[in-house]
Amino acid sequence: MAADKLKERRRNGRSVGDVLRGELARYERFTHLVSEQPDTPISTCSYRSYVNKRVCGPNWLMVGEAASLPDPLTANGVTAAFRHAQDATEAIRASVRRGSLTKRQQQVYTANVCGMGHAFNHSIEKTVYEWPVRRSLNPQAAQRVYTAFSYSINAMYSKFRPQARLPMALFGLLLHLWWVWMEGWALAGRFTFYRRQSRLRQGRSKGELASKAGS
Ligand SMILES: Cc1cc2nc3c(=O)[nH]c(=O)nc-3n(C[C@H](O)[C@H](O)[C@H](O)COP(=O)(O)OP(=O)(O)OC[C@H]3O[C@@H](n4cnc5c(N)ncnc54)[C@H](O)[C@@H]3O)c2cc1C
């Protein structure tokens, strides 16, 4: 069920249990189960991907989902966890003698973990959860737009390992370009939707005129 439909029913005063039972009752194989167990307790939880603002300090680093939880649809949690682990290990090795991470090391680690975390979550939200790309173009297009981004950015990160100032600046620019790529597709989706709507309206008014002329 689409989230907006559930929200609408909740606004109309129905509980989550009512909505769930109502939906299940539409299917023959569930109807008797629903009527036999009208008071089944229902547990709910909300799911939210996140990227922590602070992922390291002078003597600590967060890696994997503790640092940044990618949306499950990105299928990128393991890759991100390995990437964090590799970056964190390098940072620790480089600071063993000193005994703590420098400000610069902390900035580099934070920029990479947070930049990639936000980029992945934004891309899946734009292409899959929001309607313009998924509904106006189609789910396959949404999937291609996302995978074009995710495969390329993971490969580029592994190849260029943005740690020094220039590679980091270039990589930051690249992330911004990918951001524009997602927004561009979302805009194309909206444009396609409104053009389709206006064609439908035109078609309808032409049909009405023709039927009036006929009568
Ligand atoms: C159903 C499902 C499907 C997924 N599919 C994919 C996929 O297709 N591709 C992909 O890339 N990712 C996928 N992921 C995400 C991926 O599994 C995670 O992003 C990844 O495992 C995160 O690694 P992690 O090391 O951060 O955390 P985890 O793998 O969760 O490791 C954390 C470990 O810490 C332990 N732990 C927790 N608290 C304590 C404590 N207090 N003391 C000691 N130990 C503790 C836990 O037992 C666990 O072993 C999926 C996840 C799920 C749940």
Side-chain angles (χ1 to χ4, degrees):
M1 169 183 267
D4 48 359
K5 283 196 178 163
L6 175 64
K7 274 186 192 157
E8 192 187 312
R9 291 186 203 184
R10 297 278 288 127
R11 268 197 299 272
N12 292 339
R14 293 182 63 189
S15 70
V16 174
D18 279 348
V19 177
L20 178 66
R21 278 185 284 272
E23 284 302 301
L24 288 175
R26 292 169 50 206
Y27 301 92
E28 209 182 314
R29 65 185 186 279
F30 293 128
T31 38
H32 74 278
L33 288 173
V34 173
S35 54
E36 273 169 20
Q37 302 171 44
D39 299 322
T40 305
I42 290 163
S43 306
T44 63
C45 69
S46 57
Y47 178 83
R48 200 157 184 190
S49 38
Y50 58 76
V51 179
N52 274 313
K53 283 198 180 113
R54 222 177 148 203
V55 290
C56 63
N59 60 352
W60 59 272
L61 293 121
M62 288 163 98
V63 294
E65 288 188 346
S68 160
L69 179 67
D71 186 278
L73 289 189
T74 64
N76 197 62
V78 172
T79 311
F82 281 147
R83 191 171 50 234
H84 300 167
Q86 189 178 11
D87 288 354
T89 312
E90 279 170 15
I92 293 167
R93 284 177 57 158
S95 53
V96 167
R97 291 211 178 155
R98 209 180 314 109
S100 65
L101 302 182
T102 61
K103 280 257 180 304
R104 169 83 192 139
Q105 281 178 310
Q106 293 176 45
Q107 278 165 3
V108 170
Y109 186 74
T110 305
N112 286 335
V113 169
C114 298
M116 289 290 268
H118 283 303
F120 269 89
N121 285 340
H122 171 253
S123 64
I124 210 77
E125 277 157 19
K126 265 289 148 201
T127 55
V128 177
Y129 288 119
E130 291 182 13
W131 63 268
V133 181
R134 180 170 48 86
R135 281 198 208 154
S136 296
L137 304 177
N138 60 53
Q140 278 80 18
Q143 190 194 328
R144 281 197 206 106
V145 172
Y146 168 70
T147 41
F149 155 77
S150 63
Y151 279 44
S152 320
I153 204 78
N154 276 333
M156 285 178 203
Y157 191 97
S158 305
K159 190 161 171 54
F160 299 115
R161 314 264 322 130
Q163 303 283 329
R165 274 179 215 283
L166 184 63
M168 276 193 73
L170 291 176
F171 202 78
L173 183 68
L174 198 64
L175 283 180
H176 279 95
L177 290 176
W178 278 114
W179 205 279
V180 173
W181 159 264
M182 301 297 166
E183 296 295 334
W185 279 103
L187 206 62
R190 275 175 205 276
F191 178 72
T192 312
F193 175 78
Y194 291 119
R195 204 177 54 172
R196 216 179 278 153
Q197 293 285 93
S198 91
R199 277 193 188 152
L200 272 174
R201 270 198 297 272
Q202 276 172 4
R204 248 184 249 136
S205 53
K206 270 185 196 161
E208 280 166 15
L209 279 177
S211 67
K212 271 184 195 160
S215 62

